[in-house]
Amino acid sequence: MPPSKLPIELTGAGTPGENGRALSGLGGSETRPHTDSAAYPSFRNPEGAKLNLERVRAGLSPGLASALPGLLGEAPDPDGALLLFDRLIESSEVVRLLDQHNFLAHYAIVVFGHSRFLGDTLIQNPDLLASFLREKNLDRSFSSEEFHESLARFRARSSESDVALSLARFKRREYVRIMLRDVLKIAPLAETTAEISALADVLIEAALREADSKLQRRHGTPQHLDALGRLVDTPFAVLALGKLGGNELNYSSDVDLMCIYGDGEEPPRTAVSNREYFIRLAQHTTEILSRVTREGPVFRIDLRLRPQGGEGELAIRLSQALAYYSETAHDWERQALIKVRQTAGDTGLAREFIRAVQPDVYTEQVNFAAIKTALVAREKMQKRRQLGKMLGEPEAIIDVKIDRGGIRDIEFLVQCLQRVYGGAEPWLRSGGTLFSLHKLHDKGHISGKEFHDLTSAYEFLRHLEHRLQLREGQQTHRLPSSESDRRVLQRAMEGYAPGEYRSGDLASLVRRRMAAVAEIYQRIIYQQQTRGRQQLPGAEFKLLSALEPATSDPSSQQIVERLATDAPALYEIANRRDLNPQARKNFYRFLSSAFSSSQRYAGVLRNQEAVGRALALFETSDYLSEILIRHPEEIVTLAELDEVAPPTGGRYLFEKSLGLAETARDPVFAYLADSRATQAEKVALLRQHFRHRAFVVGARDIIELRDVYESFAATTAAAEDVMATAVRLADADGLAVMALGRLGSGEFDLLSDADVLFVCGEDGDRSALTRSAEKMMHVLSAYTRDGTVFSLDARLRPRGGEGELLSSPTQLTAYFAHEAQPWEALMYTKMRFLAGSQTLGERAIAALKTLFERFAADAGFPHAVREMRTKLEVAEAPGKSFKYSPGAIYDIDFITSFLLVKHAVVDKRGSLRDRLWRCVGSGVLDKSDAGILDHAAELLRTVEHVARLVVGRPIKWLPAIEHGRKVADKLTGQILEREFPDRLESELDRTFEKVRAIYEKVLTE
């Protein structure tokens, strides 16, 4: 409700914007207008409440006293709000604060009118009101880092020795702010649940640290022997599943957790085994979190989703957990891992588990068990509801979670679709329900109407669930039975279904929403069960989101009819008979996306010729098609492709000065570094612009059929610009970022991870610089609605994942002199300065001299290189691989890196092609052999790059689907200007044989 429509005026120190937002935030289009008859709210006991109200107003300033009836009139529960407000103003200090800042009275009434249990929290912690005076305290959500800092300050000020009580009190205090942002409609649903989840992560981490600290004082640190026989600390991680795992926690959720610890042989004569220690750690952590205090428990902890459920140990070794999910787990247990993520403890261990368990959750072949799991779960819930009704439960009571068409149906439906399609499409693998619905719609697995119905129903039902739980702080999902409580709930939900209240009360609206969901659930899930039974063996399965029409898609027909009027050129494309099915499907998906807004559609109409260019992308590249479909505005890029000057670079990089720019060369990235925009806006623009740069690279590759090394140069240049900008966004002064791997050699490809090494000065603030490095990794790697940039991988640093994130030049020199392994000598030949402090970067490069001289003089170096290469082959056998197979790219890479180190070739920079010819120039590689290897490297790099464009993700070998394989064959031949009469795979096999023969000759000489 706009402030101009209110019959009252708040005064005080709050800004007009604060007062206006506070008052208007409740309404939406369904808020009741004030009338003269509403001078007093609709109390359940009008006479008693009137006397109470007059007594309360007598103690307030005239302005606030006159505003109070109107504020109470907006509260869902004016009776409860008045009683709690009366208790609040027993403090004279609070009264003075409210008189000075009237809008704080509105905030208090909002809390009291929606939640009795948080109302009590506000009364017991009136200092929270003053915290809302701080600038933008309610305008944004808090990050985990901010919650960490806030908890540290809170505990430092508190004299409370009971950790569980302290954490529970902190949670309730933070809930007040989160709840205000929620009910004032400042924060959308996804932001509210993500903030509650971030708060939960911090509280679980704090409980874990407290429990671990006590156990370590008593038993010492749990350790094991690593592969080199060194004694190292054994990691422990707490994994979140369920709503916390999906970052969708509500105000009164159970928290589903699982605890794992690292493998490794324990040292002899250990007083307490690692198994016993970590089981105790899981017990103590759970006890802190779940013990009931006078503030209630921190959380209700549920450990029943761990391996073997209630009969399993509270903490389990990593290898045992992986074996369980691979060999023993029920299908529903694997489905539960869709939402698994780390919530506390060791990040590396959690990532290792999550990465390793993915093949058990998602399979390339469609698994009908995923559908059966959803059906069995639904049947169990329905049986429980029927049993409740048999025991006298009123049949009319609606459970918004487990009744048909409720929250659980939507979540199961999404998970089922993810498991069916997620094996072949890893992009669909995400924990959050709303985010996953977006992805399923983007990929065309649910229609636009289904996406709208499911999303709006899920948001509505989750908001309703929140309002139910806020009342008393209890875990409830059922609409109240009493008329007065239903009236309070309906008022709390006003504005969440604009226009729909006119056709009935809240219960009727809920039934309509749930019926729509149930229809979609029935159609998608149950229909596929029938198909699974009837399907012929070996036939391709497809889980459709709608009933198969007897004729062509009506929505496609509507698009064609619209084009006939608006865009004759596009109408002609739509009716072309030579358009293959893949191009036609993506063309219609693109147009459907463009039709979603007038601005997008107008952009397409202005660039109709570019749509013709896009057909080549629609036919050949899932990667580029998805970008165009999700972002139709990129059609302008295709229209202007000839006008966009590509970055410098070519087949040979000898003349290119890699990694010497301290600032981004791209004007957009350069603007970001100095912009006054918020950090969130900068990060969003960073991701969007890198996606644009990647699209330009891929589009040129297909339309211009350019050399793969030119493509790598362009992608590398974009990554360099990103890194230069990220260093400045992360305030990483005093840090050098060194490139390794393909980024180091200037061969960074689309969809690649970036291997980096962080270097700091010996006297630098390691703690602050470590935070800056971690911030860079998060900014670039985190997946958001704007996508991700690329993952930063720092595991190639000294001592790998167990080593410090930062290394100084002095530490590098010492490590290279004594600890580095032969394979690291090969790997570090590609290291170069990327961004940050160039002085530190030059010192890090200088440290390499020690490493290379050490292994150049090592007689066992050739044997160690062969041994490592054999291990890589065996690890990937028996399948074929562009990288690992005998004679594949790693053979060429090992040959060049070995020769550069062994023969002390000074200049090791550049691409694989550059490095090969440097070996020739130094007289350490035969020219004819170099020609064969160069030819092979170009073929393998091209095929691998084309495969990424075709399927939209990095893959080990040629596409499995026949269409994809034919496209890869054709596009590779066009780029290389070659033909493959007996198919590309045969050519690759012959190439492998030639390369392996040279490898054997070089590594045995």
Side-chain angles (χ1 to χ4, degrees), residues 8-255:
I8 58 176
E9 181 180 350
L10 289 187
T11 60
T15 66
E18 286 174 322
N19 286 331
R21 184 191 65 226
L23 293 168
S24 64
L26 282 169
S29 60
E30 297 296 314
T31 304
R32 299 172 306 285
H34 284 287
T35 63
D36 292 339
S37 63
Y40 282 87
S42 301
F43 293 115
R44 286 190 291 270
N45 178 8
E47 292 304 318
K50 182 177 180 179
L51 295 174
N52 230 4
L53 178 58
E54 292 305 320
R55 181 177 56 77
V56 169
R57 293 175 70 188
L60 304 175
S61 65
L64 187 54
S66 64
L68 191 59
L71 294 175
L72 290 169
E74 290 297 323
D77 180 10
D79 296 86
L82 178 59
L83 291 174
L84 291 171
F85 189 78
D86 189 13
R87 289 172 54 195
L88 177 70
I89 61 173
E90 290 175 1
S91 165
S92 57
E93 291 184 14
V94 170
V95 173
R96 282 195 296 272
L97 183 66
L98 297 180
D99 283 342
Q100 292 171 357
H101 309 282
N102 289 177
F103 68 91
L104 293 179
H106 172 66
Y107 290 164
I109 294 296
V110 169
V111 174
F112 297 152
H114 283 81
S115 176
R116 294 192 187 107
F117 96 103
L118 290 182
D120 284 335
T121 300
L122 183 58
I123 291 169
Q124 294 163 13
N125 300 269
D127 62 296
L128 289 172
L129 287 170
S131 73
F132 301 140
L133 293 174
R134 298 179 195 135
E135 186 179 3
K136 295 185 177 179
N137 200 316
L138 294 181
D139 284 357
R140 62 180 182 83
S141 59
F142 282 7
S143 65
S144 296
E145 292 76 14
E146 288 171 307
F147 279 130
H148 270 298
E149 294 173 4
S150 183
L151 176 60
R153 290 193 299 269
F154 175 75
R155 295 188 68 183
R157 293 193 303 264
S158 173
S159 59
E160 181 56 63
S161 59
D162 185 341
V163 177
L165 176 58
S166 179
L167 297 181
R169 181 172 294 156
F170 179 78
K171 183 192 83 167
R172 288 182 63 155
R173 286 171 58 91
E174 292 300 325
Y175 268 16
V176 173
R177 185 187 60 82
I178 294 171
M179 172 261 203
L180 269 173
R181 298 186 72 248
D182 178 11
V183 300
L184 289 174
K185 300 183 176 69
I186 299 170
L189 173 67
E191 199 169 305
T192 298
T193 57
E195 191 168 12
I196 296 173
S197 300
L199 173 59
D201 289 343
V202 171
L203 296 173
I204 294 168
E205 180 71 43
L208 174 61
R209 288 182 180 178
E210 179 70 20
D212 199 25
S213 176
K214 288 184 177 180
L215 283 175
Q216 285 196 33
R217 287 197 297 269
R218 187 181 308 163
H219 303 295
T221 303
Q223 296 183 313
H224 68 276
L225 300 173
D226 69 4
L228 299 177
R230 298 174 298 189
L231 201 58
V232 295
D233 293 348
T234 304
F236 177 84
V238 182
L239 304 173
L241 302 105
K243 280 192 164 59
L244 179 58
N247 284 305
E248 295 178 319
L249 205 61
N250 58 39
Y251 293 102
S252 191
S253 291
D254 287 349
V255 172

Side-chain angles (χ1 to χ4, degrees), residues 98 123 159 164 323 328 334 365 394 423 666 735 888 895 977:
L98 297 180
I123 291 169
S159 59
T328 309
R334 297 187 178 101
Q365 294 78 30
D666 185 305
L735 199 65
I895 290 170
E977 298 179 354

Side-chain angles (χ1 to χ4, degrees), residues 738-940:
M738 311 300 292
L740 301 166
R742 296 188 64 168
L743 184 56
S745 66
E747 298 171 292
F748 198 61
D749 201 357
L750 299 171
L751 303 166
S752 287
D753 292 347
D755 294 309
V756 296
L757 173 69
F758 294 107
V759 180
C760 68
E762 287 77 2
D763 299 326
D765 183 344
R766 277 190 172 256
S767 178
L769 290 172
T770 298
R771 286 196 297 272
S772 294
E774 290 172 341
K775 185 176 181 181
M776 288 177 61
M777 295 176 75
H778 175 74
V779 164
L780 298 180
S781 304
Y783 199 101
T784 70
R785 70 185 66 185
D786 301 305
T788 186
V789 184
F790 44 72
S791 292
L792 283 188
D793 193 337
R795 290 176 297 172
L796 293 180
R797 63 186 183 270
R799 302 179 191 89
E802 297 180 356
E804 293 184 63
L805 185 59
L806 309 185
S807 302
S808 70
T810 302
Q811 288 175 316
L812 288 174
T813 301
Y815 180 79
F816 292 157
H818 303 290
E819 295 184 59
Q821 300 300 305
W823 66 267
E824 291 177 288
L826 303 184
M827 179 265 294
Y828 276 109
T829 60
K830 299 177 184 177
M831 187 171 85
R832 65 181 176 92
F833 171 71
L834 187 61
S837 168
Q838 189 167 335
T839 301
L840 278 173
E842 290 170 352
R843 290 183 62 201
I845 294 293
L848 291 173
K849 182 180 179 182
T850 302
L851 175 67
F852 297 147
E853 288 180 349
R854 175 184 162 204
F855 284 104
D858 186 349
F861 186 41
H863 174 74
V865 170
R866 288 197 302 272
E867 189 176 58
M868 174 54 67
R869 179 68 184 99
T870 301
K871 286 182 179 178
L872 292 174
E873 289 175 24
V874 172
E876 292 297 317
K880 291 184 179 180
S881 167
F882 299 125
K883 295 179 180 179
Y884 298 99
S885 293
I889 205 75
Y890 274 7
D891 271 15
I892 308 172
D893 201 15
F894 271 55
I895 290 170
T896 54
S897 299
F898 168 75
L899 291 175
L900 291 169
V901 174
K902 187 65 180 175
H903 297 283
V905 178
V906 176
D907 192 355
K908 302 175 177 64
R909 295 174 303 156
S911 69
L912 196 49
R913 166 171 282 168
D914 296 336
R915 289 147 62 88
L916 279 167
W917 292 105
R918 282 208 172 91
C919 290
V920 173
S922 300
V924 299
L925 181 64
D926 182 79
K927 189 174 182 179
S928 61
D929 286 345
I932 293 171
L933 295 176
D934 184 12
H935 190 74
E938 184 178 35
L939 173 63
L940 288 165

